[in-house]
């Protein structure tokens, strides 16, 4: 896992904006940020540092997709 | 995961809590759009004198200075102002302060040239040093040095001038009318919409790029600016050079962790300190010795990349501030392109690891952290003068997007990358404003814009094809190995080129996307494929070794034939064309 | 025999109260699948959870819970009620600031900016609920501190003030709970269930006292009022 968990989100969108890689999106139905594309996370922690309520947890681990013949 | 947590909690509320108002929130969570009706995609058009693409250090100054020079300016970035590209992670800002420096500007420029083995463009080397103090002063006023996060400080001058900033728009195309640039187009990440900008002049501040490698926070950049400019006839340079950053073998993708506490630090300024860093010496060591790399005090080995004697031992662990441009040690990536010093201080290979690998934090190093990126400012658009102007009239570039060779094809002056982006952004901003005063906004035929829109949306319209993530992974497998990208030889470069041409000819036209995020990935992947082709062709052409370009089959520096940069452009048939440009010359406009 | 049972019951009830209002939230916190952060952050979170839970406990240290009052006597219950008010409630009043306090000790957005961002996220119902709860809590606290003067100034009676105090707590609790459930990083299903059950029971007791519908509902006792007013 890369960006791992969002807990206590207030829906301010700061993380969505500050993620360079577009990993986080808003779930508009509940007005909360969700980890939409974890495969593209570069574990730079900008989202965590911009979050006003410190809702984001990251892990240094990242799994690389398995190699297949087409995809 | 968190998503399901939220759901169950809300379901629970809806069932049991009796909070009727919350019922609405219990709506079933649906993933981001999986299928987009491409016929329903909206579009909008904006208009300005100077369009600045990119919201890093270069983009900031380009927008501010173009505005101050009287132009109507718009900024667009695929990420956030001050929180995208490489800028958020750079902490050392080079300042040449004549009051405190012992060197003169000329001496400084000359020192950089010696370390860069002639590869730098002294005009740009000097320009950065000369204007650095003034740019730093402005940044200080905006509060840049007060926080480790830059958005707020970047917003200050931009908001004060009411410069419109459109974030989260991916620009994919530049367009011309006649010979001149006439605008740019792209799409929104947050809406099913395309966006067109009509402008008298465009400044590319799109940064550099790489192959979405693991270990360097460059995964949002894929040389987009370079490739879109190349597509409308601009010359690009520097593709044979490499940036030799290495990372940790453990959790290599964790860029934050790999850089110690550097991302937490506030920026500060650095004085003159010229080095010869982050080339491919460690890659050579790893190639010859295998992994893990053993570094001793005399770990230099036969045939390794040439390092000028004068700069042989400039890296000392005690020079901590000077090490800001590279990951901090503690087993993290080491200094000067060197891995963490596993056996005390190492000189030869790439120099000692900064901080010397504190006990307990040590770990093996791995290569290719920034694979696909060259030394900052050694790659990008070819400038035709000292005004950051490209060979396409009205098209400017600044910072990492401009192949200014400000510090040459090896890291020379510490902290000059950030300063160089600031200085060049300002120069380009003023030049573009001046240019736009003398020209009219051009009418672009509707059919041109329609066909561009078609190209932008094509991956969404494909019912089947290749997923960009898979193509990227395949490209990484071809390009990132040490024996392809760093320690080069002709046979292998040609072999890799055959693979890349396959991706270019068969896979690039079939990239598919299911949503706007994937659409971005599809365009980025295409740009990486073209970049890879450029890298391989330029590497094949440069039959010598110099700075961060190393050829096993041509290990020597060849001053007779290669005191020249390589420029690439598209010929009349749309083929990639490579040419030499002498180190001391400007290209023909 | 009657002599020995009573102290035991007292002890038992005290322990039960501690279990419900202190141990349970800690247990749910410990069992929950939440990422563990720095000691400072976790300590603040945990104390906030316990404070919230203790605040709910106030419903049970009121006249609506005559059983407890009879068991321990009013004065002691009142003291406990006041102590909890002093500590738990002030902690909760500090809650919006405590959220951003750790930013003083780590890199990232400045605490003040975080605060501003948080309070100006108008799109968030959770924030609005929290703000409403915070304001009510402040009103509740202020009116409780100055109750005697207030009663005098308004020429009213103590039971009227108490009624007001109780109703305000119900409103406050509703907002606070919805806020905690919609935004709280530790309010997972067990935690939320516990908080809701506790408040529903507490509020029901209070309402039963104020709006006695069935025979046998406890009448608001009036005798102690005199003492209260005289204090
Ligand atoms: C970890 C790290 C440490 C560093 N340390 C230092 C240091 O200490 N000192 C130093 O001088 N330098 C350092 N550097 C280098 C420095 O960060 C860069 O050279 C500099 O910030 C480049 O600035 P820029 O504005 O030219 O480009 P960037 O900051 O890369 O900005 C590029 C911008 O272009 C936008 N963009 C790109 N493509 C598109 C597109 N298709 N459509 C729309 N927008 C687009 C991006 O969103 C971004 O806003 C470091 C770099 C890294 C990664």
């Amino acid at each position: 896992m890369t960006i791992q968990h969002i807990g206590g989100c207030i829906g301010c969108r700061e993380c969505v904006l500050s993620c360079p890689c577009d990993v986080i999106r808003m779930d508009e139905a509940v007005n909360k940020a969700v980890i939409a594309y974890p495969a593209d996370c570069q574990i730079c922690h900008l989202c965590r540092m911009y979050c006003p309520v410190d809702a984001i947890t990251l892990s240094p681990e990242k799994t690389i997709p398995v190699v297949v013949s087409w995809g | 995961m968190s998503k399901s947590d939220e759901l169950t909690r809300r379901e629970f509320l809806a069932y049991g809590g009796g909070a009727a108002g919350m019922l609405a929130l219990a709506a079933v969570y649906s993933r981001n759009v999986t299928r987009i009706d491409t016929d329903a995609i909206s579009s909008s058009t904006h208009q300005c004198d100077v369009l600045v693409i990119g919201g890093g250090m270069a983009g900031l100054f380009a927008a501010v200075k173009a505005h101050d020079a009287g132009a109507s300016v718009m900024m667009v970035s695929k990420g956030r102002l001050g929180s995208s590209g490489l800028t958020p992670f750079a902490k050392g800002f080079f300042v040449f302060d004549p009051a405190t420096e012992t060197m003169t500007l000329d001496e400084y420029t000359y020192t950089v040239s010696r370390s860069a083995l002639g590869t730098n463009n002294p005009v740009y080397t000097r320009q950065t040093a000369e204007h650095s103090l003034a740019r730093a002063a402005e940044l200080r006023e905006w509060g840049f040095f007060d926080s480790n996060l830059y958005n707020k400080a970047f917003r200050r001058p931009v908001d004060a001038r009411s410069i419109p900033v459109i974030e989260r728009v991916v620009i994919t195309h530049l367009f011309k009318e006649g010979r001149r640039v006439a605008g740019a187009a792209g799409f929104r990440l947050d809406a099913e919409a395309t966006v067109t900008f009509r402008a008298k002049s465009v400044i590319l501040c799109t940064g550099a790029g790489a192959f979405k490698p693991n270990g360097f926070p460059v995964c949002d950049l894929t040389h987009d600016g370079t490739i879109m400019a190349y597509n409308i006839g601009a010359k690009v340079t520097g593709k044979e050079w490499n940036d030799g950053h290495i990372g940790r073998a453990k959790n290599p993708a964790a860029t934050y962790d790999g850089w110690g506490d550097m991302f937490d630090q506030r920026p500060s300024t650095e004085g003159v300190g010229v080095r010869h860093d982050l080339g491919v010496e460690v890659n050579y060591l790893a190639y010859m010795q295998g992994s893990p790399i053993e570094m001793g005090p005399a770990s230099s080995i036969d045939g390794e990349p040439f390092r000028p004697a004068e700069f042989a031992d400039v890296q000392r662990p005690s020079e901590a501030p000077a090490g800001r441009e590279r990951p901090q040690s503690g087993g993290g990536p080491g200094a000067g392109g060197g891995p963490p010093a596993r056996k005390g201080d190492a000189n030869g290979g790439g120099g000692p690891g900064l901080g010397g690998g504190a006990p307990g934090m040590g770990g093996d190093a791995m290569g290719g952290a920034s694979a696909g990126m060259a030394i900052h400012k050694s790659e990008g658009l070819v400038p035709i003068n000292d005004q950051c102007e490209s060979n396409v009239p009205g098209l400017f570039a600044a910072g990492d997007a401009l192949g200014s060779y400000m510090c040459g094809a090896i890291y020379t002056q510490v902290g000059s990358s950030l300063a160089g982006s600031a200085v060049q952004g300002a120069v380009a901003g003023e030049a573009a404003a001046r240019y736009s005063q003398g020209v009219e906004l051009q009418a672009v035929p509707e059919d041109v814009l329609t066909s561009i829109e078609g190209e932008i949306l094509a991956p969404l319209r494909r019912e089947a094809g290749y997923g960009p993530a898979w193509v990227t992974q395949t490209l990484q497998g071809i390009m990132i190995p040490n024996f392809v990208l760093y320690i080069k030889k002709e046979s292998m470069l040609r072999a890799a080129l055959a693979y890349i041409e396959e991706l270019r000819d068969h896979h690039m036209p079939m990239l598919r996307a299911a949503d706007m995020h994937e659409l971005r990935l599809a365009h980025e992947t295409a740009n990486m494929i073209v970049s890879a082709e450029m890298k391989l062709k330029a590497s094949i052409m440069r039959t010598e070794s110099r700075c961060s370009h190393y050829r096993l089959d041509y290990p020597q520096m060849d001053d007779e034939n290669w005191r020249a940069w390589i420029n690439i452009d598209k010929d009349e048939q749309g083929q990639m064309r490579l040419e030499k440009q002498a180190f001391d010359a400007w290209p023909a406009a | 025999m009657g002599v020995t049972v009573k102290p035991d019951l007292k002890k038992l009830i005290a322990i039960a109260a501690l279990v419900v209002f202190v141990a349970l939230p800690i247990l749910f916190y410990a069992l929950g699948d939440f990422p563990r952060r720095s000691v400072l952050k976790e300590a603040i979170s945990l104390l906030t959870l316990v404070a919230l839970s203790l605040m709910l406990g106030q419903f049970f240290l009121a006249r609506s819970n005559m059983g407890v009052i009879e068991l321990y006597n009013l004065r002691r219950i009142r003291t406990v009620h006041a102590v909890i008010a002093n500590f738990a409630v002030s902690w909760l009043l500090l809650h919006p600031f405590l959220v951003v306090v750790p930013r003083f000790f780590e890199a990232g957005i400045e605490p003040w900016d975080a605060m501003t961002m948080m309070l100006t996220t108008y799109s968030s119902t959770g924030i609005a609920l929290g703000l409403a709860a915070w304001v009510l809590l402040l009103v509740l606290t202020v009116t409780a501190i100055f109750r005697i003067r207030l009663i005098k100034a308004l020429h009213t009676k103590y039971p009227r003030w108490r009624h007001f105090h109780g109703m305000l707590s119900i409103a406050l609790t509703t907002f606070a709970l919805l806020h905690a459930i919609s935004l709280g990083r530790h309010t997972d299903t067990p935690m939320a269930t516990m908080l809701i059950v506790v408040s529903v029971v507490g509020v029901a007791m209070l309402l039963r006292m104020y709006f006695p519908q069935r025979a046998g509902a406890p009448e608001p006792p009036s005798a102690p009022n005199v003492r209260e007013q005289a204090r």
Side-chain angles (χ1 to χ4, degrees), chain A residues 11 26-34, chain B residues 6 10 24-27 29, chain C residues 125:
Chain A
M26 289 303 288
D27 179 350
E28 303 291 351
V30 294
N31 194 38
K32 298 228 178 222
V34 290
Chain B
E6 302 293 350
R10 294 213 153 62
L25 299 185
Y29 169 72
Chain C
T125 346

Side-chain angles (χ1 to χ4, degrees), chain B residues 65-122:
Chain B
K65 296 295 174 180
H67 172 95
D68 290 356
S72 80
V73 180
M74 287 191 86
M75 274 186 106
V76 58
S77 170
K78 68 176 168 183
R80 187 186 212 184
L81 184 63
S83 183
S84 54
L86 303 193
T87 297
F89 311 103
K91 305 292 166 173
F93 190 99
F94 168 53
V95 167
F96 185 95
D97 184 353
T100 54
E101 293 298 347
T102 49
M103 271 186 194
T104 65
L105 262 181
D106 286 334
E107 283 164 352
Y108 163 76
T109 307
Y110 184 56
T111 309
V112 169
S113 297
R114 286 200 311 275
S115 171
L117 302 169
T119 55
N120 69 315
N121 180 337

Side-chain angles (χ1 to χ4, degrees), chain B residues 30-43:
Chain B
S30 69
R31 219 185 144 69
N32 207 37
V33 250
T34 48
R35 217 182 171 82
I36 288 175
D37 179 4
T38 50
D39 298 324
I41 284 182
S42 66
S43 66

Side-chain angles (χ1 to χ4, degrees), chain C residues 67-231:
Chain C
V68 164
I69 290 180
E70 274 162 12
L71 190 63
Y72 295 91
N73 89 44
L74 182 68
R75 186 175 290 272
R76 282 182 71 184
I77 293 300
R78 225 177 41 202
T79 312
V80 180
H81 195 101
V83 167
I84 291 178
N86 286 342
F87 291 97
V89 169
S90 14
W91 187 261
L92 290 175
L93 277 176
L94 287 177
H95 169 59
F97 307 95
L98 291 170
V99 170
V100 302
V101 156
R103 287 291 191 206
F104 281 108
F105 310 104
E106 66 181 13
I109 180 171
E110 303 295 324
W112 180 243
D113 291 339
M115 201 49 205
T116 317
M117 172 63 61
M118 197 167 78
L119 298 182
T120 53
T121 302
Y122 304 120
S123 65
S124 168
T125 346
I127 291 286
L129 289 165
L131 278 174
W134 190 86
V135 169
L136 291 184
L137 189 60
L138 192 66
V139 172
L140 192 86
T141 310
V142 171
T143 53
I145 292 173
F146 299 108
R147 61 188 179 279
I148 307 294
R149 277 197 236 171
L150 218 74
I151 289 163
K152 278 201 184 122
L154 298 175
H155 304 291
T156 179
K157 290 266 160 53
Y158 192 74
R160 292 278 305 271
W161 176 82
R162 224 171 47 211
H163 196 275
F164 162 78
H165 188 74
M167 289 321 227
L168 205 57
S169 350
I170 294 177
L172 150 71
T173 305
T174 313
F175 288 137
L177 271 194
L178 290 176
H179 163 76
I181 289 166
S182 78
L183 297 188
R185 71 177 77 226
H186 295 112
T187 22
D188 58 1
T189 308
M191 187 81 78
T193 314
M194 183 212 75
L195 295 174
I196 288 179
V197 167
V198 166
S199 356
V200 165
V201 173
V203 169
M205 283 165 68
L206 207 62
L207 292 177
R208 200 164 68 114
M209 174 176 78
Y210 290 141
F211 309 104
Q213 277 170 355
R214 288 174 297 136
E219 281 292 311
S222 48
N225 295 347
V226 187
R227 256 188 287 160
E228 188 80 43
Q229 270 176 327
R231 214 158 60 103

Side-chain angles (χ1 to χ4, degrees), chain B residues 53-59 76-80 82 84-94 169-172 205-208 216-218 220-222 224-225 228 259 262-263 270 324-326 376-377 398-401 414-419 421 527:
Chain B
I53 310 178
M57 186 57 88
V76 58
S77 170
K78 68 176 168 183
R80 187 186 212 184
S84 54
L86 303 193
T87 297
F89 311 103
K91 305 292 166 173
F93 190 99
F94 168 53
V169 165
V170 182
I171 298 295
T172 55
C205 300
T206 41
F216 202 76
V218 64
D220 60 331
L221 300 184
T222 45
D224 303 353
M228 58 183 131
W259 284 74
M262 208 185 84
F263 297 0
E270 327 239 16
R324 297 282 220 93
E325 210 160 323
R326 52 202 70 74
H376 302 307
K377 280 123 190 122
D400 284 7
V414 171
S416 64
S417 312
L418 208 46
S421 287
N527 292 342

